Amino acid sequence: SQTIHQWPATLVQPVGSPLSLECTVEGTSNPNLYWYRQAAGRGLQLLFYSIGIGQISSEVPQNLSASRPQDRQFILSSKKLLLSDSGFYLCAWSPGLNQPQHFGDGTRLSIL
Amino acid sequence: AQSVTQLDSQVPVFEEAPVELRCNYSSSVSVYLFWYVQYPNQGLQLLLKYLSGSTLVKGINGFEAEFNKSQTSFHLRKPSVHISDTAEYFCAVTTDSWGKLQFGAGTQVVVTP
């Protein structure tokens, strides 16, 4: 069966520091991959999605970037974090077109 | 573009009572609809999905939802809730070939004894 892993589960970073969140999927190949952010008390905002290695689409302009160096690996990065980057970050995958997305357990990021 | 509206931000309900969470969408083309549940500090878990076929969809944990095309709705129901159903519930829709989901703002369900 397929599984998705995200780490770390929680992270506290100072303003201006870099960020790297990692997500990996097991048990499938060529998944669609997604990064979401969930701010406190709000819904989910799609940040990036990818349909293949090296193919990244950004949904909103921001201080973050994403990369997909391997088929089942999706990384969310920032060179310099802002206070507004705080939130709950979720990675998800889907097997194909219009199929359900399956989510990781999330990373709670706090910026001090 | 599609949009999703969850009409209730919070729904209090007593244990063993029924619950209905409302979801309306807007789209000019065919849709695919989903309900997810999120427990505190966890990711989202798929409850059920409507891709095609029967408009009454049964999911996990005793939940079901009905797709109503004329009313552009996809309401979620459970005939008898448990304390463990306390969570946030998200309705989502896609019409995009990439499978990008548009989420509603969520409905917080609080089940009390």
Side-chain angles (χ1 to χ4, degrees):
Chain A
S1 63
Q2 302 88 2
T3 56
I4 179 168
H5 302 281
Q6 265 188 263
W7 67 92
T10 59
L11 188 61
V12 180
Q13 292 284 94
V15 169
S17 63
L19 173 74
S20 180
L21 302 182
E22 190 162 342
C23 172
T24 59
V25 181
E26 297 177 357
T28 188
S29 59
N30 197 30
N32 291 347
L33 295 172
Y34 310 84
W35 276 112
Y36 290 87
R37 177 168 58 204
Q38 187 177 28
R42 300 178 64 181
L44 282 81
Q45 179 186 36
L46 179 63
L47 302 176
F48 301 94
Y49 67 94
S50 171
I51 62 167
I53 295 175
Q55 301 179 62
I56 309 294
S57 295
S58 174
E59 286 295 290
V60 293
Q62 58 208 320
N63 185 43
L64 303 168
S65 62
S67 61
R68 185 170 177 172
Q70 300 181 45
D71 181 44
R72 292 168 290 169
Q73 184 184 30
F74 205 25
I75 297 172
L76 183 69
S77 304
S78 173
K79 293 181 179 178
K80 294 179 72 172
L81 285 167
L82 306 172
L83 283 174
S84 59
D85 292 322
S86 293
F88 192 48
Y89 289 83
L90 290 159
C91 181
W93 75 275
S94 68
L97 304 179
N98 298 316
Q99 294 298 310
Q101 292 181 18
H102 304 278
F103 288 78
D105 289 334
T107 295
R108 185 157 307 279
L109 175 63
S110 299
I111 310 300
L112 302 179
Chain B
Q2 68 269 21
S3 66
V4 182
T5 302
Q6 290 184 243
L7 297 164
D8 306 294
S9 60
Q10 189 168 54
V11 173
V13 58
F14 289 111
E15 192 176 17
E16 298 183 4
V19 69
E20 179 180 79
L21 308 184
R22 296 179 292 169
C23 173
N24 286 89
Y25 67 91
S26 64
S27 174
S28 59
V29 298
S30 297
V31 295
Y32 306 90
L33 296 153
F34 309 88
W35 274 99
Y36 287 86
V37 61
Q38 185 179 31
Y39 300 102
N41 296 311
Q42 295 187 25
L44 277 69
Q45 180 182 7
L46 181 69
L47 277 177
L48 48 79
K49 61 187 177 186
Y50 173 78
L51 302 180
S52 64
S54 173
T55 58
L56 183 61
V57 180
K58 294 191 182 296
I60 63 171
N61 300 341
F63 285 93
E64 65 179 30
E66 186 158 18
F67 171 55
N68 188 318
K69 187 175 181 179
S70 63
Q71 297 188 9
T72 61
S73 67
F74 191 54
H75 300 335
L76 180 71
R77 301 184 185 97
K78 184 170 182 177
S80 176
V81 297
H82 302 134
I83 296 289
S84 59
D85 291 321
T86 295
E88 190 150 24
Y89 293 79
F90 292 94
C91 181
V93 61
T94 181
T95 63
D96 193 287
S97 61
W98 294 123
K100 290 183 288 182
L101 291 179
Q102 182 71 44
F103 283 88
T107 297
Q108 180 67 44
V109 172
V110 180
V111 182
T112 53

